[in-house]
mmCIF file with all atom_site columns, all heavy atoms in Angstrom:
data_model
loop_
_atom_site.group_PDB
_atom_site.id
_atom_site.type_symbol
_atom_site.label_atom_id
_atom_site.label_alt_id
_atom_site.label_comp_id
_atom_site.label_asym_id
_atom_site.label_entity_id
_atom_site.label_seq_id
_atom_site.pdbx_PDB_ins_code
_atom_site.Cartn_x
_atom_site.Cartn_y
_atom_site.Cartn_z
_atom_site.occupancy
_atom_site.B_iso_or_equiv
_atom_site.pdbx_formal_charge
_atom_site.auth_seq_id
_atom_site.auth_comp_id
_atom_site.auth_asym_id
_atom_site.auth_atom_id
_atom_site.pdbx_PDB_model_num
ATOM 1  N N   . ARG B 1 172 ? -51.400 3.435  74.926 1.00 95.00 ? 900 ARG B N   1
ATOM 2  C CA  . ARG B 1 172 ? -51.782 4.202  76.103 1.00 95.00 ? 900 ARG B CA  1
ATOM 3  C C   . ARG B 1 172 ? -52.060 3.290  77.290 1.00 95.00 ? 900 ARG B C   1
ATOM 4  O O   . ARG B 1 172 ? -51.679 3.593  78.435 1.00 95.00 ? 900 ARG B O   1
ATOM 5  C CB  . ARG B 1 172 ? -53.018 5.054  75.771 1.00 95.00 ? 900 ARG B CB  1
ATOM 6  C CG  . ARG B 1 172 ? -53.555 5.859  76.942 1.00 95.00 ? 900 ARG B CG  1
ATOM 7  C CD  . ARG B 1 172 ? -52.534 6.826  77.481 1.00 95.00 ? 900 ARG B CD  1
ATOM 8  N NE  . ARG B 1 172 ? -53.006 7.482  78.698 1.00 95.00 ? 900 ARG B NE  1
ATOM 9  C CZ  . ARG B 1 172 ? -52.203 7.984  79.627 1.00 95.00 ? 900 ARG B CZ  1
ATOM 10 N NH1 . ARG B 1 172 ? -50.885 7.902  79.471 1.00 95.00 ? 900 ARG B NH1 1
ATOM 11 N NH2 . ARG B 1 172 ? -52.700 8.555  80.701 1.00 95.00 ? 900 ARG B NH2 1
ATOM 12 N N   . LEU B 1 173 ? -52.698 2.152  77.033 1.00 93.00 ? 901 LEU B N   1
ATOM 13 C CA  . LEU B 1 173 ? -52.985 1.212  78.109 1.00 93.00 ? 901 LEU B CA  1
ATOM 14 C C   . LEU B 1 173 ? -51.694 0.687  78.732 1.00 93.00 ? 901 LEU B C   1
ATOM 15 O O   . LEU B 1 173 ? -51.586 0.558  79.954 1.00 93.00 ? 901 LEU B O   1
ATOM 16 C CB  . LEU B 1 173 ? -53.837 0.052  77.581 1.00 93.00 ? 901 LEU B CB  1
ATOM 17 C CG  . LEU B 1 173 ? -54.154 -1.057 78.595 1.00 93.00 ? 901 LEU B CG  1
ATOM 18 C CD1 . LEU B 1 173 ? -54.901 -0.499 79.805 1.00 93.00 ? 901 LEU B CD1 1
ATOM 19 C CD2 . LEU B 1 173 ? -54.982 -2.157 77.940 1.00 93.00 ? 901 LEU B CD2 1
ATOM 20 N N   . ARG B 1 174 ? -50.699 0.398  77.904 1.00 91.00 ? 902 ARG B N   1
ATOM 21 C CA  . ARG B 1 174 ? -49.422 -0.079 78.434 1.00 91.00 ? 902 ARG B CA  1
ATOM 22 C C   . ARG B 1 174 ? -48.797 0.974  79.352 1.00 91.00 ? 902 ARG B C   1
ATOM 23 O O   . ARG B 1 174 ? -48.249 0.643  80.415 1.00 91.00 ? 902 ARG B O   1
ATOM 24 C CB  . ARG B 1 174 ? -48.464 -0.398 77.281 1.00 91.00 ? 902 ARG B CB  1
ATOM 25 C CG  . ARG B 1 174 ? -48.830 -1.640 76.468 1.00 91.00 ? 902 ARG B CG  1
ATOM 26 C CD  . ARG B 1 174 ? -48.585 -2.905 77.284 1.00 91.00 ? 902 ARG B CD  1
ATOM 27 N NE  . ARG B 1 174 ? -47.178 -3.042 77.615 1.00 91.00 ? 902 ARG B NE  1
ATOM 28 C CZ  . ARG B 1 174 ? -46.274 -3.676 76.855 1.00 91.00 ? 902 ARG B CZ  1
ATOM 29 N NH1 . ARG B 1 174 ? -46.661 -4.232 75.721 1.00 91.00 ? 902 ARG B NH1 1
ATOM 30 N NH2 . ARG B 1 174 ? -45.021 -3.782 77.235 1.00 91.00 ? 902 ARG B NH2 1
ATOM 31 N N   . ALA B 1 175 ? -48.857 2.236  78.929 1.00 93.00 ? 903 ALA B N   1
ATOM 32 C CA  . ALA B 1 175 ? -48.274 3.308  79.731 1.00 93.00 ? 903 ALA B CA  1
ATOM 33 C C   . ALA B 1 175 ? -49.023 3.475  81.052 1.00 93.00 ? 903 ALA B C   1
ATOM 34 O O   . ALA B 1 175 ? -48.410 3.615  82.122 1.00 93.00 ? 903 ALA B O   1
ATOM 35 C CB  . ALA B 1 175 ? -48.290 4.615  78.941 1.00 93.00 ? 903 ALA B CB  1
ATOM 36 N N   . VAL B 1 176 ? -50.362 3.445  80.985 1.00 92.00 ? 904 VAL B N   1
ATOM 37 C CA  . VAL B 1 176 ? -51.177 3.587  82.196 1.00 92.00 ? 904 VAL B CA  1
ATOM 38 C C   . VAL B 1 176 ? -50.942 2.408  83.138 1.00 92.00 ? 904 VAL B C   1
ATOM 39 O O   . VAL B 1 176 ? -50.767 2.592  84.359 1.00 92.00 ? 904 VAL B O   1
ATOM 40 C CB  . VAL B 1 176 ? -52.675 3.694  81.831 1.00 92.00 ? 904 VAL B CB  1
ATOM 41 C CG1 . VAL B 1 176 ? -53.552 3.549  83.074 1.00 92.00 ? 904 VAL B CG1 1
ATOM 42 C CG2 . VAL B 1 176 ? -52.956 5.023  81.146 1.00 92.00 ? 904 VAL B CG2 1
ATOM 43 N N   . ALA B 1 177 ? -50.913 1.202  82.587 1.00 89.00 ? 905 ALA B N   1
ATOM 44 C CA  . ALA B 1 177 ? -50.714 0.008  83.415 1.00 89.00 ? 905 ALA B CA  1
ATOM 45 C C   . ALA B 1 177 ? -49.341 0.031  84.077 1.00 89.00 ? 905 ALA B C   1
ATOM 46 O O   . ALA B 1 177 ? -49.195 -0.374 85.240 1.00 89.00 ? 905 ALA B O   1
ATOM 47 C CB  . ALA B 1 177 ? -50.867 -1.249 82.557 1.00 89.00 ? 905 ALA B CB  1
ATOM 48 N N   . ALA B 1 178 ? -48.318 0.501  83.350 1.00 89.00 ? 906 ALA B N   1
ATOM 49 C CA  . ALA B 1 178 ? -46.970 0.557  83.915 1.00 89.00 ? 906 ALA B CA  1
ATOM 50 C C   . ALA B 1 178 ? -46.909 1.537  85.083 1.00 89.00 ? 906 ALA B C   1
ATOM 51 O O   . ALA B 1 178 ? -46.324 1.255  86.132 1.00 89.00 ? 906 ALA B O   1
ATOM 52 C CB  . ALA B 1 178 ? -45.965 0.958  82.832 1.00 89.00 ? 906 ALA B CB  1
ATOM 53 N N   . GLU B 1 179 ? -47.550 2.700  84.910 1.00 87.00 ? 907 GLU B N   1
ATOM 54 C CA  . GLU B 1 179 ? -47.554 3.690  85.994 1.00 87.00 ? 907 GLU B CA  1
ATOM 55 C C   . GLU B 1 179 ? -48.350 3.176  87.183 1.00 87.00 ? 907 GLU B C   1
ATOM 56 O O   . GLU B 1 179 ? -47.940 3.343  88.343 1.00 87.00 ? 907 GLU B O   1
ATOM 57 C CB  . GLU B 1 179 ? -48.134 5.015  85.493 1.00 87.00 ? 907 GLU B CB  1
ATOM 58 C CG  . GLU B 1 179 ? -48.066 6.129  86.530 1.00 87.00 ? 907 GLU B CG  1
ATOM 59 C CD  . GLU B 1 179 ? -48.615 7.451  86.031 1.00 87.00 ? 907 GLU B CD  1
ATOM 60 O OE1 . GLU B 1 179 ? -48.967 7.542  84.831 1.00 87.00 ? 907 GLU B OE1 1
ATOM 61 O OE2 . GLU B 1 179 ? -48.706 8.393  86.838 1.00 87.00 ? 907 GLU B OE2 1
#
Side-chain angles (χ1 to χ4, degrees):
R900 177 60 187 155
L901 177 59
R902 289 289 297 270
V904 168
E907 185 179 355

